[in-house]
Amino acid sequence: MTSIVDRFAAARRDPALAVLSGFHALKHAVRFEAAIVEAVAPDPDAVGRLAESLAPDVAGLIAETVTPIAADVFARLTADSPGAAVAVIGVRPVADVAAVAAAPGRVVFLERPNHLGNIGASIRVAAAAGAVAVITTGDRDPWHPTALRGSAGLHFALPVIRTDRLPELGRTVVALDPTGESLSSGMIPGSAVVAFGSERHGVSPALQADADRLVAIPMRPGVSSLNLATAVAVALYT
Ligand SMILES: C[S@@+](CC[C@H](N)C(=O)[O-])C[C@H]1O[C@@H](n2cnc3c(N)ncnc32)[C@H](O)[C@@H]1O
């Protein structure tokens, strides 16, 4: 049997698996029925106490899932997330674009996002707002452990899919761009693809051409843009 350090290292490279760290990520993964391969903690009783106080609905499942590990080995598994109470390998759900197309609700599209923290925070707010899916393009893996930390494990609450380009979903596409018409209530249909540009380059000319409408979040003069995940939050909650 391979060592746990090797198994976590292999899981980080495996596109079928996801590596999570921290109690809230485990809580959401369990709550949204992720398949957990293994979950380890130096102090499983402490994780159990957190679960009893913060997530009693899944405390029993969490207690069954977490196994003990030596503190020095755990520190190696979580070197990039100090303070985490638990480290987890889960299975990435298989996502189906055809099912996304048919589901009621908004789809969030992130065009070539760069910062993994932004990707995670966008997924977190998309899950909270009841979006149907988050679709990304570009070379950043939206299931990277850093993005999973940013989402607090809410990747398991909705499909998170990386594609080559925005798929044809038969929905109105509303692109958020500071040059668009000023956002007000009712401008983004409940079934729209809500599209966002990259942090550096904004919405590409190709995405502008695909969009049915460009919408701007009003800003004070002198401010050029909002943070990507902040823009996602404003758009979904308006
Ligand atoms: C950090 S911004 C990109 C800034 C980029 N330099 C630009 O020129 O657009 C990332 C994305 O967030 C969205 N965004 C940020 N501020 C916005 C605003 N005030 N109105 C509409 N969308 C905004 C857009 O989709 C934008 O492409």
Side-chain angles (χ1 to χ4, degrees), residues 176-178 195-203 215-217 219 225-228 231:
L176 273 285
D177 185 272
F196 302 84
S198 72
E199 296 90 338
R200 174 71 61 86
H201 302 293
V203 175
V215 169
I217 301 163
M219 296 181 293
S225 69
L226 298 171
N227 162 273
L228 171 60

Side-chain angles (χ1 to χ4, degrees), residues 5-197:
V5 172
D6 289 342
R7 293 200 296 281
F8 268 76
R12 284 173 180 268
R13 296 189 299 270
D14 188 334
L17 298 177
V19 172
L20 299 84
S21 54
F23 172 75
H24 294 289
L26 174 61
K27 170 191 74 181
H28 284 133
V30 171
R31 193 174 277 156
F32 290 100
E33 299 177 356
I36 306 293
V37 178
E38 55 188 316
V40 293
D43 186 352
D45 290 343
V47 176
R49 286 192 295 278
L50 277 175
E52 289 295 347
S53 73
L54 300 175
D57 56 317
V58 288
L61 281 171
I62 287 175
E64 285 169 19
T65 305
V66 181
T67 57
I69 183 177
D72 59 331
V73 180
F74 184 76
R76 290 176 64 190
L77 302 183
T78 56
D80 56 0
S81 47
V86 60
V88 182
I89 299 174
V91 178
R92 300 187 194 193
V94 176
D96 176 4
V97 172
V100 168
R106 291 171 173 159
V107 173
V108 171
F109 175 64
L110 307 178
E111 183 184 44
R112 305 182 67 80
N114 187 46
H115 297 290
L116 293 164
N118 275 342
I119 296 172
S122 298
I123 290 166
R124 186 174 188 166
V125 73
V132 167
V134 175
I135 299 176
T136 71
T137 55
D139 60 7
R140 296 288 183 268
D141 176 8
W143 284 86
H144 187 283
T146 304
L148 277 152
R149 249 195 330 280
S151 80
L154 282 163
H155 284 61
F156 294 98
L158 76 178
V160 174
I161 305 169
R162 180 163 53 148
T163 61
D164 293 336
R165 52 166 291 124
L166 175 60
E168 180 46 65
L169 297 174
R171 295 166 179 253
T172 299
V173 177
V174 177
L176 273 285
D177 185 272
T179 66
E181 44 181 330
S182 196
L183 174 63
S184 61
S185 173
M187 284 176 81
I188 305 178
S191 60
V193 172
V194 194
F196 302 84

